[in-house]
Amino acid sequence: LYMGQDYLWAEDLHLESFQKLIAKYQGKGAPPPWEKVTKEALEKGEKNIIERFKRWSLSAVLIAGFIDGINPCAFATIIFLVSYLTFAGKKAREILIYGSVFTTGVFIAYLLVGMGLMTFLHQLSSFPLISKGVYLFIALFALTLGVISLYDYILFRRGQVAKWKLQLPMGLKKKIHEIIREQARFKGGLLATFGAGFIIAVCTVICTGQVYLPTIGFIMGIPELRANAIFNLVLYNIMYIVPLVGVFVLTFFGVTSEKMAFVTKKYTGTVKLLTAALFLALAGLLFLMH
């Protein structure tokens, strides 16, 4: 119980203390303490809140990028690339070089896709009603994906991974594997590898973009993040390729693709659960903001 500059808390909150507090202010009133707060203190408090929010928001973007990077859609493709390069007789150092070029292609393609989505949402800001509808659609989309991810996790626990709803279509998987095989045989070497990374990143957007779109909606929906949208997008994409870089570095140090595939399969359920949590969190934030 607050009164003037005094308060009663826990065991002090009883009739006798209450009467004493009333007697103290009786006849003269209790001036609101917040009226004594200076303009400088208010500005400092507002600045602290914004800075704290920025740090939290930045963490959300970084976490989303990393979870997107360990998405089974992206990870399985990288492991297939490593196994095929090994099968083609590439040495550890060559695989690291090819992997770096491949990852650069993925990074640039994914960044361009993100910039396109950001531009689209920025253009919509001129039409408030339509913009609000689009953001609510993205929030509903994220909510739906969160529920489906939870269902996929249940299927994983039952050993029914083949029935997953959120995964690349089989036809697209075969096409991606075909691109990898062709680039491994192509004499263009590094140029072909860069092109493969670029094309595969665009192809897998149908799956990995499920996290990308709600996160971009989150960035564009918050003024403090929108002011540095490109910076936040670059950070997201850096976190997205961190797991890919990790795979090629591990290969360089002798970890086999079979071992990585085993670990990936073991923790796939955890990744699905994390992805579901991320979807639901983004959906909640988008609903609250709009």
Side-chain angles (χ1 to χ4, degrees), residues 16-266:
E16 185 181 350
S17 60
F18 179 60
Q19 289 173 334
K20 286 181 179 179
L21 202 55
I22 289 177
K24 178 179 178 179
Y25 291 100
Q26 193 169 8
K28 59 180 180 180
W34 53 85
E35 289 184 356
K36 297 181 180 180
V37 178
T38 63
K39 183 180 179 182
E40 290 76 16
L42 285 172
E43 289 176 351
K44 183 180 178 182
E46 184 178 351
K47 184 179 179 181
N48 288 339
I49 290 171
I50 291 172
E51 288 301 318
R52 192 180 302 120
F53 182 77
K54 281 182 176 178
R55 286 196 298 270
W56 181 87
S57 301
L58 180 62
S59 299
V61 171
L62 294 175
I63 291 169
F66 183 76
I67 291 177
D68 197 8
I70 57 176
N71 188 318
C73 297
F75 223 62
T77 300
I78 301 307
I79 292 174
F80 180 83
L81 173 64
V82 170
S83 62
Y84 197 83
L85 288 173
T86 304
F87 176 76
K90 305 294 182 184
K91 304 299 181 184
R93 184 173 176 276
E94 287 181 294
I95 291 176
L96 185 61
I97 294 171
Y98 276 81
S100 300
V101 175
F102 181 90
T103 303
T104 302
V106 170
F107 178 83
I108 292 174
Y110 219 52
L111 184 63
L112 290 175
V113 170
M115 290 175 68
L117 290 171
M118 276 189 168
T119 303
F120 171 69
L121 291 177
H122 179 69
Q123 294 296 327
L124 284 179
S125 62
S126 303
F127 308 93
L129 191 61
I130 297 175
S131 178
K132 184 179 179 67
V134 170
Y135 277 109
L136 289 176
F137 169 78
I138 294 173
L140 187 61
F141 177 66
L143 178 62
T144 303
L145 291 176
V147 173
I148 295 174
S149 290
L150 284 175
Y151 178 70
D152 281 352
Y153 173 73
I154 293 170
L155 290 176
F156 172 80
R157 299 287 295 179
R158 293 175 179 173
Q160 299 175 329
V161 176
K163 294 183 179 180
W164 272 2
K165 302 300 180 184
L166 297 180
Q167 62 175 324
L168 284 172
M170 185 54 67
L172 190 54
K173 286 181 184 178
K174 290 180 178 178
K175 183 63 179 177
I176 290 171
H177 291 175
E178 182 183 326
I179 292 170
I180 290 173
R181 284 192 291 267
E182 286 179 358
Q183 74 82 25
R185 289 195 299 264
F186 186 55
K187 300 302 182 183
L190 296 178
L191 180 63
T193 303
F194 175 86
F198 191 95
I199 294 169
I200 288 170
V202 173
C203 290
T204 55
V205 161
I206 190 174
C207 184
T208 57
Q210 295 161 2
V211 177
Y212 208 17
L213 178 59
T215 306
I216 290 174
F218 173 67
I219 292 171
M220 297 301 288
I222 298 175
E224 288 76 22
L225 289 180
R226 188 168 59 242
N228 300 294
I230 299 300
F231 173 72
N232 283 288
L233 188 67
V234 170
L235 288 180
Y236 179 98
N237 280 276
I238 288 173
M239 292 304 293
Y240 176 76
I241 64 170
V242 164
L244 309 189
V245 173
V247 167
F248 292 116
V249 170
L250 288 173
T251 303
F252 178 76
F253 286 105
V255 180
T256 64
S257 58
E258 290 81 5
K259 178 65 176 177
M260 285 186 280
F262 173 78
V263 173
T264 301
K265 185 177 180 181
K266 182 179 178 181

